Each structure stands twice: as structure tokens, then as C-alpha cells.
Amino acid sequence: MRMKRVAALAAAATLALGMAACGGDDDGGEGTGAGSKSFAAGTTMERLNKAQSIKIGTKFDQPGFGLKGLSGKPEGFDVEVAKIIVKELGIPEDKIEWVEAPSKVREDVIVNGTVDLVAATYTINDKRKERIAFAGPYYEAGQNILVKKDDTTITGPDSFKDGTKKVCSVTGSTPAEEIKKYVKDVATQLVLFDTYDKCKDALKGGQVDAVTTDNVILLGYIAKDEASFKLAGDNFTKEPYGIGVKKEDTEFRNFINDTLEKAFADGSWKKAWDDTAGKFGAELGSAPTVNRY
Ligand code: GLU
């Protein structure tokens, strides 16, 4: 009897060891130890897992996506999606170093290795793909326009064609480029800052007549100050959000795509949305198809 129990315990221990050694698919949670995953030698996943730390570029000024508040840590949908990836890497959340990545610097911080990945309302496009690679998309936003609540003169991008209205956007962003198609005179009408909260303040202070960027970013500002702002009209572009990684790192890109697909299926992607930007009135929609180019 006693022998049988010892044998059974030994078998259970062997099984547990075997499971830990397999790695790659545990939840990195309590009991198993965050470092129990294993990845193919020489991959970015292995390097990060061994280091048990990761640097992530995100926004610090965008409510619902990446906003650094009193906690000192950014909060939002991009932050939650990044945390899902970090968990899959077997790295504890408190080992993430968050780096502010305004629109203009995103490719640079990936190329020069300041960060390991960027999750920052980052539209996938061919121009950016010349320097970096994208996993995803994990969400599709669209460009829109923020105006003062009592404004009746701006109803969409065509309202800038008469040359009288000033619109603010951010250097290095897709909306800053797109709006040039509509303004009569870029030099006098387009005001560029490095972050969207500066645009939002300029609108509130009356220095500009509108702010343009993705609808979900603007909805975040409306949610924080409903008495002051509203959207003017419908979305007029499609902005699929991707996770930026080094251009040549196909293994890491594939790993993130696999992780996103898993998160679409297991409810963690939806929960990330519901806990963050989903509170501000935008729709999540159905899970996008990741683009494994
Ligand atoms: N999604 C757009 C972009 O990647 C606008 C938002 C942003 O600047 O982060 O340029």
C-alpha cells in the first residue's frame, strides 16, 4: 500500500516536471513560475523570457488606450493588449518598462532597440513597413474630427477647404498627412504638436478650431470632458492598429500574431477592451483577421 503511494507521488512529480519543461503554454501564473516557459534558442522570445523583463513603447496621453495617470503606469487598451503578449512570454507584468512613444518616434525606438515592441494606436501601413514590421491588426479605428461642443461650422474634413479653419494633429501620424488633402493652406491651417493632449488643450483654449486623429483617441478626450467636446461627422479613413516590432524579426511577429489570435478566441482581447476604451462609446466589432504577410 505504502509503496503504491510513493510510486504514485513519484509519477505525479515526474508529470509535473515534464509539464514545466514543455513550457510555452502555461499561464505564467502562480505555482508554475513566470520563468517556466521555454522558447526556441536565439529567438527574441527566448531572450526576453530569460531576461524576465521587456521594454514597451506606448502613449502616455491617450485616455482609453495609453494614459499615464496617478498610478505612474500607463492604462488603456494598448497597454492591456501588450500585457497579454507579455504574459505569453512568461514575464511578470511588474517587469515591464513602459516607454513613452509619441507618434513621430515609434519607428525609431523599434529600429534602435530602445523598446522591444510598440503598442501605441499604431496604424499598419506600407510606408512604416519599410522600416519596421507589424503584427496584427488587433483593432480598426478611423480618422475623425474633434470640435468644441457648440461648434456648428465644422461637419467633416471638407469644412477645412475654404481655408479659414485651423486644425491640429500630431507630427508623424497618419491623420496629419491625410488632412493635408482637405486644407487649402497647410502652412496657416495645420498646427502640429508631438502629442494629442497638446492639440486637445489648444482646441479648448481656442488656438485651433479642431483636432484630427483616430475616432477612439478623440472619444477618450470627449469621455474626460463631455461638456467641452464632440465629434464632427463620421470616420473618413480606416486605421488598423498593429504591434510594431523589428522588421526582420518574423519569429517574434508570428508569436505575437499567434498570441493575438488566442486572445481573440479566449475572451481576453474583449475583456481588455471592455475594461478600457470600451467604456468610451466605440464599438470593438468582431475580431480582425491578422495579416501574416
Ligand atoms: N493611428 C494613427 C497613426 O498611427 C494616429 C494615431 C497616432 O498618431 O498614434 O498615426
Side-chain angles (χ1 to χ4, degrees), residues 59 103 106 120-123 128 173-175 196 213-214 217 239 241:
K59 300 296 185 76
S103 304
R106 289 174 295 194
T121 56
Y122 202 3
T123 296
R128 290 171 178 166
S173 71
T174 50
Y196 291 108
T213 186
D214 301 340
I217 299 173
E239 308 289 330
Y241 288 173

